[in-house]
Each structure stands twice: as structure tokens, then as C-alpha cells.
Amino acid sequence: MNKTFDIKRFWLFLKRELVRAYNDMGLTILILGLAPAILFGVIQAFALIISGEMVSFTYTGILAFSFALLLGCIVIPIKLYGPLTDKRFGSEWLMIPASRIEKYTTMMLITCVIAPICITAITFVTDGLLSLIFHNQYGQVLATKFNFKDMMDFMRGMVYSIGGGDADLEGIEGIKFHMSTAGVLILNWIEYAVFFLLGAVIFDKSKFGKTLLCLMALSMVMSMASTAIVSFCNLDGLIDAISDENPQRLINYMMTVIYAMYAVLALVPAYFIWRRVKTLKH
């Protein structure tokens, strides 16, 4: 058997894993996709009990979609690939005729691409039906409220909306973040999904708890390191100078750092996942 990558063998293994994912996580993904309907139902039920009438809450879709993606990137990797550390399941998985790189690629593809696409598709269908049936209470479809505009444009729109058209937008006009609100969700999904996938294939027991503790510890370390770097290098003066001279330039520096952090937080766990898959034995 070719020990590197064969497209035909990879396609057969991918179809096999998709069938397993559908059997193991199909219902969970469906429930996550129905999150807008569930949240909308809960809100309106409480409204009917308290006031006797339905209320308008136009951010139901955004909140439900964000929650569904967050929960999905935690549950799906652990549920699908957590059993790899089990001797019986792990041995059967290793004996499937596919190379380690094919298995690793399939694992990353399902976790980081296919699963979020499925959740998003079901969520948008649910969102569209709610907007069509309960337009006055639910509002516009999710695509019009949570879009692919630059994040600063989105924030300006929210400030203008909350301020009733009288909000003071001086100082932020013309500034771009070069990242959309949808882009934030995509990057966060990849980061958390890869991190919890790493926990799923490394820890034998208490996968969620141990991974969450590691994530919290990493966040604390990064926060302290960032504070120390800013204090040691006296970056406050540099930031003030750049901000006064050209605010957009400061934003560009910030976004470069943020993109670099996202890349590191995704690629480093992805590398260790590969090392784990490559050396996995039972």
C-alpha cells in the first residue's frame, strides 16, 4: 500500500468517515442547526408567560449561531475522534487500509471544514424559515445581520443603530479592521476545533475537562506574556505615537499580530495532532 497519499484511497476513506460521522453526530449537528428555533422558542415562551404576548428580539439568530458553532467545535472532535485512544476502536481505525496522512487529512477536513458547513447550512435554513414565519418578532435573515462586511463597518452600523442615528462616529470613520464578523467565527472555529481535537487524541479520559483546563492555562500564560512584553518594551508610547499619527496604521499592526496568533494557535496543535496520528499504536 502506498504509504503517502493516494487520491482514490483517500476518497474511499473519506466516504467511510463521513458515514461514521453521520451516524455518530448527525442528530447532534441537526440540533445545533436548529439552535435559532430553540432559542426563539424559549424567548417567546418566557415572553408569553410574563407579558402575555410575543416580543421582538432581532439578535436571536446571531446568538444562536455563535453558540451552535462554539458547542460544535467542542463536541464534534471529542465525539468523533476521542475513541481513538480506546484500544478496540483505535486498533480497528488503524487497520483500515489508508495511510496515516490520509487519515489525518480526513480528520482535519471533517472537523474544520465539513462539520461547520453542515451546521451553518442547517442554521441558515432554520433562520430563513423563522424570518419568513415570524418576521416581526425574529427580524431579517441572519445573512443581513451577520455578514461579510469589514468588522469595523459592522460595529459602526451597530453603534448607529443603538444611538438612534445620533451616535458620534468621529474618529472611527474610514478605519478598516480587514476582518469580517464572519471571518472571526471561521477563525475561532478552526482554532478551538483543532485544540479540542488535539485533546481528544491525546488524553485517555476526561478529554473535555483536561482540554478545557489546558486552554485556560494557555490563555493565562499568553495574557501574562503579552502584559510582560508591553511593559518591558514600553510599547505604550509607540502605540500612542502610531495612533496619533495614523489610526489605520495602528489597526494594521494589531491585525497582523492577531492573524499571526490565530495561525500559531491553529498550526501548532495541528502539528501535534499529526505527530499523534503518525505514532498512534495499541
Side-chain angles (χ1 to χ4, degrees):
M1 182 179 69
N2 187 352
K3 295 185 180 299
T4 53
F5 194 93
D6 180 82
I7 188 66
K8 184 177 180 180
R9 189 176 61 223
F10 165 73
W11 175 243
L12 292 174
F13 181 72
L14 176 61
K15 289 193 293 184
R16 178 193 179 102
E17 287 293 278
L18 286 174
V19 171
R20 183 174 73 86
Y22 174 79
N23 294 331
D24 291 348
M25 294 299 300
L27 181 59
T28 300
I29 290 176
L30 176 61
I31 293 174
L32 291 175
L34 293 174
I38 296 172
L39 180 59
F40 180 77
V42 171
I43 292 173
Q44 299 306 330
F46 275 102
L48 288 172
I49 293 173
I50 296 173
S51 64
E53 60 182 7
M54 298 180 72
V55 297
S56 175
F57 187 68
T58 58
Y59 287 97
T60 303
I62 294 177
L63 293 175
F65 184 45
S66 301
F67 175 77
L69 286 181
L70 175 63
L71 192 59
C73 71
I74 295 173
V75 173
I76 292 173
I78 293 177
K79 178 67 175 178
L80 285 181
Y81 297 104
L84 289 182
T85 56
D86 176 72
K87 185 175 182 180
R88 180 179 177 182
F89 180 88
S91 299
E92 293 176 354
W93 190 79
L94 289 174
M95 292 178 65
I96 298 173
S99 66
R100 299 295 177 103
I101 185 64
E102 291 162 359
K103 293 176 179 178
Y104 170 77
T105 304
T106 300
M107 178 187 297
M108 299 297 290
L109 189 62
I110 291 176
T111 303
C112 297
V113 180
I114 297 175
I117 288 177
C118 292
I119 294 175
T120 301
I122 299 173
T123 301
F124 272 57
V125 171
T126 306
D127 174 80
L129 291 174
L130 287 171
S131 179
L132 179 65
I133 300 171
F134 303 101
H135 185 75
N136 292 333
Q137 292 78 25
Y138 188 82
Q140 298 290 331
V141 294
L142 188 59
T144 63
K145 295 177 290 187
F146 194 85
N147 48 47
F148 292 88
K149 291 182 180 180
D150 187 89
M151 195 170 179
M152 182 57 83
D153 293 336
F154 179 78
M155 291 173 63
R156 274 195 290 265
M158 289 191 64
V159 171
Y160 186 84
S161 176
I162 294 172
D166 298 324
D168 183 10
L169 303 179
E170 184 179 357
I172 62 173
E173 288 290 352
I175 295 178
K176 299 289 185 182
F177 269 148
H178 306 299
M179 179 186 288
S180 69
T181 47
V184 172
L185 271 188
I186 293 171
L187 292 175
N188 276 303
W189 170 280
I190 295 174
E191 176 190 343
Y192 286 109
V194 171
F195 200 87
F196 277 93
L197 179 58
L198 177 62
V201 298
I202 287 182
F203 299 122
D204 292 329
K205 297 180 180 180
S206 304
K207 298 175 184 291
F208 169 74
K210 291 178 180 178
T211 306
L212 184 61
L213 286 175
C214 291
L215 184 61
M216 294 171 61
L218 178 63
S219 299
M220 292 176 60
V221 170
M222 291 183 62
S223 178
M224 291 187 292
S226 300
T227 303
I229 291 173
V230 171
S231 301
F232 179 77
C233 298
N234 191 25
L235 295 180
D236 289 338
L238 177 61
I239 291 174
D240 290 339
I242 296 175
S243 180
D244 292 338
E245 177 186 347
N246 187 350
Q248 182 62 63
R249 187 182 174 194
L250 175 61
I251 295 295
N252 293 342
Y253 279 127
M254 290 173 55
M255 296 313 298
T256 300
V257 173
I258 290 173
Y259 279 125
M261 289 178 61
Y262 272 118
V264 171
L265 292 174
L267 293 177
V268 172
Y271 169 77
F272 284 106
I273 292 170
W274 162 243
R275 296 293 302 177
R276 175 60 170 163
V277 171
K278 185 179 180 181
T279 59
L280 183 64
K281 294 179 180 179
H282 287 289

